Coordinates of all heavy atoms in Angstrom, one line a residue:
W1 N 0.8 -1.2 0.1 CA 0.1 0.0 0.0 C 0.9 1.3 0.0 O 0.7 2.2 0.8 CB -0.9 -0.1 1.2 CG -2.1 -1.0 1.1 CD1 -2.3 -1.9 0.1 CD2 -3.3 -0.9 1.9 NE1 -3.5 -2.5 0.2 CE2 -4.1 -2.0 1.4 CE3 -3.7 -0.2 3.0 CZ2 -5.4 -2.2 1.9 CZ3 -5.0 -0.4 3.6 CH2 -5.8 -1.4 3.0
H2 N 1.7 1.4 -1.0 CA 2.7 2.4 -1.0 C 2.0 3.8 -1.2 O 2.7 4.8 -0.9 CB 3.7 2.1 -2.2 CG 2.9 2.1 -3.5 ND1 2.8 3.1 -4.4 CD2 2.5 1.0 -4.2 CE1 2.1 2.7 -5.4 NE2 2.0 1.4 -5.4
D3 N 0.8 3.8 -1.7 CA 0.1 5.1 -1.9 C -1.1 5.3 -0.9 O -2.0 6.0 -1.1 CB -0.5 5.2 -3.3 CG -1.2 4.2 -3.9 OD1 -1.4 3.1 -3.0 OD2 -1.6 4.1 -5.0
L4 N -0.9 4.6 0.3 CA -1.9 4.8 1.3 C -1.2 4.8 2.7 O -1.9 5.5 3.7 CB -2.8 3.6 1.4 CG -4.0 3.4 0.3 CD1 -4.7 2.2 0.4 CD2 -5.0 4.5 0.4
I5 N 0.0 4.4 2.8 CA 0.7 4.3 4.2 C 1.6 5.6 4.2 O 2.4 5.8 3.2 CB 1.5 3.0 4.4 CG1 0.6 2.0 4.4 CG2 2.5 3.3 5.6 CD1 -0.4 1.9 5.6
D6 N 1.6 6.5 5.2 CA 2.4 7.6 5.3 C 3.7 7.5 5.9 O 4.6 8.2 5.6 CB 1.6 8.6 6.0 CG 0.3 8.9 5.4 OD1 0.3 9.7 4.2 OD2 -0.9 8.6 6.0
V7 N 3.9 6.5 6.8 CA 5.1 6.2 7.6 C 5.2 4.8 7.8 O 4.3 4.0 8.3 CB 5.1 6.9 9.1 CG1 6.3 6.6 9.9 CG2 4.9 8.5 8.9
N8 N 6.4 4.2 7.4 CA 6.7 2.8 7.6 C 7.5 2.6 8.9 O 8.7 2.7 9.0 CB 7.4 2.3 6.5 CG 7.9 0.8 6.5 OD1 7.3 0.2 7.3 ND2 9.0 0.5 5.8
A9 N 6.8 2.0 9.9 CA 7.4 1.7 11.2 C 7.9 0.3 11.1 O 8.6 -0.2 12.1 CB 6.5 1.8 12.3
G10 N 7.7 -0.4 9.9 CA 8.2 -1.8 9.9 C 9.7 -1.9 9.8 O 10.3 -3.0 10.2
R11 N 10.3 -0.9 9.6 CA 11.8 -0.8 9.5 C 12.4 -1.0 10.9 O 13.6 -1.5 11.0 CB 12.3 0.7 9.0 CG 11.9 1.0 7.6 CD 12.2 2.5 7.1 NE 11.2 3.4 8.1 CZ 11.6 4.5 8.3 NH1 12.7 5.0 8.1 NH2 10.8 5.3 9.1
I12 N 11.6 -0.8 11.9 CA 12.1 -1.1 13.3 C 12.3 -2.6 13.5 O 13.3 -3.0 14.1 CB 11.1 -0.5 14.3 CG1 10.9 1.0 14.2 CG2 11.5 -1.0 15.8 CD1 9.7 1.6 15.0
A13 N 11.4 -3.4 12.9 CA 11.5 -4.8 13.1 C 12.8 -5.4 12.4 O 13.3 -6.4 12.8 CB 10.3 -5.4 12.6
T14 N 13.2 -4.9 11.2 CA 14.2 -5.4 10.5 C 15.6 -4.6 10.8 O 16.5 -5.0 10.2 CB 14.0 -5.3 9.1 OG1 13.6 -3.9 8.8 CG2 12.8 -6.2 8.6
G15 N 15.5 -3.6 11.9 CA 16.8 -3.0 12.3 C 17.2 -2.0 11.4 O 18.3 -1.4 11.5
E16 N 16.3 -1.6 10.5 CA 16.7 -0.4 9.5 C 16.5 0.9 10.2 O 16.9 1.9 9.7 CB 16.0 -0.4 8.3 CG 16.1 -1.7 7.4 CD 14.9 -2.0 6.4 OE1 15.1 -1.4 5.4 OE2 14.1 -2.7 6.6
A17 N 15.7 1.0 11.2 CA 15.5 2.3 12.0 C 15.1 1.9 13.4 O 14.8 0.8 13.8 CB 14.3 3.1 11.3
T18 N 15.3 3.0 14.3 CA 15.0 2.7 15.6 C 13.6 3.3 15.9 O 13.1 4.1 15.2 CB 16.0 3.5 16.6 OG1 15.9 4.9 16.3 CG2 17.5 2.9 16.2
I19 N 13.1 2.9 17.2 CA 11.8 3.5 17.6 C 12.0 5.0 17.6 O 11.1 5.7 17.2 CB 11.5 2.9 18.9 CG1 11.1 1.4 18.7 CG2 10.4 3.7 19.6 CD1 10.9 0.7 20.1
E20 N 13.1 5.5 18.2 CA 13.2 7.1 18.3 C 13.3 7.7 17.0 O 12.7 8.7 16.8 CB 14.5 7.2 19.1 CG 14.6 6.9 20.6 CD 14.9 5.3 20.7 OE1 15.1 4.5 19.6 OE2 14.8 4.8 21.9
E21 N 14.0 7.2 16.1 CA 14.0 7.7 14.6 C 12.6 7.8 14.0 O 12.4 8.8 13.5 CB 15.0 7.0 13.8 CG 16.5 7.1 14.2 CD 17.5 6.0 13.5 OE1 16.9 5.0 12.8 OE2 18.5 6.3 13.5
V22 N 11.8 6.8 14.1 CA 10.5 6.8 13.5 C 9.6 7.7 14.3 O 8.8 8.3 13.8 CB 10.0 5.3 13.4 CG1 8.6 5.2 12.9 CG2 10.9 4.4 12.5
G23 N 9.8 7.7 15.7 CA 9.1 8.6 16.5 C 9.2 10.0 16.1 O 8.4 10.7 16.0
W24 N 10.5 10.5 15.9 CA 10.8 11.7 15.5 C 10.2 12.1 14.1 O 9.6 13.2 13.8 CB 12.3 12.0 15.4 CG 12.9 12.5 16.7 CD1 13.6 11.9 17.6 CD2 12.6 13.8 17.2 NE1 13.9 12.6 18.7 CE2 13.3 13.9 18.5 CE3 12.0 15.0 16.9 CZ2 13.3 15.0 19.3 CZ3 12.1 16.2 17.7 CH2 12.7 16.1 18.9
E25 N 10.2 10.9 13.2 CA 9.7 11.3 11.9 C 8.1 11.5 12.0 O 7.6 12.3 11.1 CB 9.8 9.9 11.0 CG 9.3 10.0 9.7 CD 9.6 8.7 8.9 OE1 10.3 7.8 9.3 OE2 8.9 8.6 7.7
I26 N 7.4 10.7 12.8 CA 6.0 10.9 13.0 C 5.8 12.3 13.7 O 4.7 13.0 13.1 CB 5.4 10.0 14.0 CG1 5.4 8.6 13.3 CG2 4.0 10.3 14.3 CD1 5.2 7.3 14.1
F27 N 6.5 12.8 14.6 CA 6.3 14.1 15.1 C 6.6 15.2 14.1 O 5.7 16.2 14.1 CB 7.3 14.2 16.3 CG 7.5 15.6 17.0 CD1 6.4 16.0 18.0 CD2 8.5 16.4 16.6 CE1 6.6 17.2 18.5 CE2 8.5 17.7 17.1 CZ 7.6 18.1 18.1
R28 N 7.7 15.1 13.4 CA 7.7 16.2 12.4 C 6.6 16.1 11.3 O 6.2 17.3 10.9 CB 9.1 16.0 11.7 CG 10.3 16.3 12.8 CD 11.7 16.3 11.9 NE 12.7 16.5 12.9 CZ 13.5 15.7 13.5 NH1 13.4 14.4 13.1 NH2 14.6 16.0 14.3
L29 N 6.2 15.0 11.0 CA 5.1 15.0 10.0 C 3.8 15.4 10.6 O 3.1 16.1 9.8 CB 4.9 13.4 9.6 CG 3.8 13.1 8.5 CD1 4.1 13.9 7.3 CD2 3.8 11.7 8.1
I30 N 3.6 15.2 11.9 CA 2.4 15.8 12.4 C 2.4 17.4 12.2 O 1.4 18.0 11.9 CB 2.2 15.6 13.9 CG1 1.9 14.1 14.1 CG2 1.3 16.4 14.5 CD1 2.0 13.5 15.5
L31 N 3.5 18.0 12.3 CA 3.6 19.6 12.4 C 3.5 19.9 10.9 O 2.8 21.0 10.7 CB 5.0 20.0 12.9 CG 5.3 19.7 14.4 CD1 6.6 20.3 14.9 CD2 4.0 20.0 15.3
E32 N 4.0 19.1 10.0 CA 3.9 19.5 8.6 C 2.3 19.4 8.1 O 1.8 20.3 7.4 CB 4.7 18.5 7.7 CG 6.2 18.8 7.8 CD 6.6 20.2 7.3 OE1 6.4 20.5 6.1 OE2 7.0 21.0 8.2
V33 N 1.7 18.2 8.6 CA 0.3 18.1 8.1 C -0.6 19.1 8.8 O -1.4 19.8 8.3 CB -0.1 16.6 8.6 CG1 -1.7 16.5 8.4 CG2 0.5 15.7 7.8
A34 N -0.2 19.4 10.1 CA -1.0 20.4 10.9 C -0.9 21.8 10.2 O -1.9 22.7 10.4 CB -0.5 20.6 12.3

């Protein structure tokens, strides 16, 4: 669903990103969307 999902947190499971990195991504996206 590449054109329905806004943030991919699945990268945490495979070690490509940390919880903190995706958390900051979500935080910044909230401000952009708002």
